[in-house]
Amino acid sequence: NAGVTQTPKFQVLKTGQSMTLQCAQDMNHEYMSWYRQDPGMGLRLIHYSVGAGITDQGEVPNGYNVSRSTTEDFPLRLLSAAPSQTSVYFCASSYSSNQPQHFGDGTRLSIL
Amino acid sequence: GQQVMQIPQYQHVQEGEDFTTYCNSSTTLSNIQWYKQRPGGHPVFLIQLVKSGEVKKQKRLTFQFGEAKKNSSLHITATQTTDVGTYFCAGHGNAGNMLTFGGGTRLMVKP
């Protein structure tokens, strides 16, 4: 079983560039979410989705967009990368928000 | 909004000593989840507590959910080097669809 697959694993961007972090799950989970992890800050929710066609903002949504056209995929877009967005990004999925979350391996993103 | 705080932020223990991390929420929770993240890895689900005053055990790990459903703790008895990692609690409120993570407690074990 693949579980939750994130690509790429590492990425270096220049300030102002845009990019999309990919997330796919094969468990037929309705709930998907994106977190960023910074040292000493734990995991902060960026955006989440309770099903295809439905997305909502989390704690730190500014500078990020998401869409959910299918149950399987939940891409995260950085519109204009800033050094403050240097972080490790985790995608997670579950049957619902109050069920155990399955995390991907993460994307380590550096913005110069 | 809902805030979940975890203490301590770091803990060094000698192998064989006990360890406890505490989690406190600003609001009443419908459930609380605990995760473990090994260095360089991703968070892995450990357990979920739902009932007020609930206590669950997994081998040397004991999890408690407070009577008011606003706090929780994880206690590890006789730590081993394999327990090294960061332990996170995550709380789900009674309304909405957000799961809020605490800042985590990083456990380091000296052999």
Side-chain angles (χ1 to χ4, degrees), chain A residues 77-97:
Chain A
R77 296 184 188 84
L78 279 69
L79 308 172
S80 177
S84 61
Q85 294 178 305
T86 293
S87 189
V88 180
Y89 291 84
F90 286 102
C91 177
S93 75
S94 63
Y95 289 110
S96 67
S97 63

Side-chain angles (χ1 to χ4, degrees), chain A residues 5-77:
Chain A
T5 303
Q6 287 186 241
T7 56
K9 293 192 185 306
F10 303 93
Q11 184 72 49
V12 179
L13 292 177
K14 294 181 179 178
T15 298
Q17 287 185 312
S18 62
M19 81 160 292
T20 300
L21 307 186
Q22 301 291 345
C23 177
Q25 53 91 10
D26 62 357
M27 296 173 281
N28 203 29
H29 285 164
E30 291 293 333
Y31 186 83
M32 295 185 74
S33 54
W34 277 101
Y35 293 89
R36 59 178 288 173
Q37 185 173 32
D38 303 296
M41 301 285 289
L43 292 150
R44 291 184 291 168
L45 182 64
I46 304 171
H47 285 285
Y48 64 94
S49 168
V50 298
I54 307 168
T55 63
D56 210 341
Q57 295 181 349
E59 305 166 71
V60 288
N62 292 341
Y64 307 95
N65 273 358
V66 291
S67 59
R68 185 94 180 269
S69 56
T70 67
T71 299
E72 295 78 18
D73 299 298
F74 190 43
L76 177 73
R77 296 184 188 84

Side-chain angles (χ1 to χ4, degrees), chain B residues 40-56:
Chain B
H42 60 270
V44 175
F45 173 77
L46 293 176
I47 209 161
Q48 179 170 282
L49 305 171
V50 178
K51 299 176 183 176
S52 169
E54 188 170 15
V55 178
K56 286 188 176 181

Side-chain angles (χ1 to χ4, degrees), chain B residues 17-74:
Chain B
E17 291 182 337
D18 292 356
F19 160 77
T20 304
T21 174
Y22 300 92
C23 183
N24 289 286
S25 171
S26 58
T27 60
T28 302
L29 301 171
S30 64
N31 68 60
I32 195 152
Q33 300 170 11
W34 284 92
Y35 293 80
K36 177 183 179 181
Q37 183 178 27
R38 294 184 186 276
H42 60 270
V44 175
F45 173 77
L46 293 176
I47 209 161
Q48 179 170 282
L49 305 171
V50 178
K51 299 176 183 176
S52 169
E54 188 170 15
V55 178
K56 286 188 176 181
K57 292 190 176 184
Q58 287 181 349
K59 298 182 181 178
R60 295 178 293 103
L61 277 61
T62 302
F63 304 84
Q64 287 189 302
F65 200 10
E67 294 290 339
K69 300 184 77 174
K70 294 182 73 174
N71 57 72
S72 181
S73 64
L74 158 59

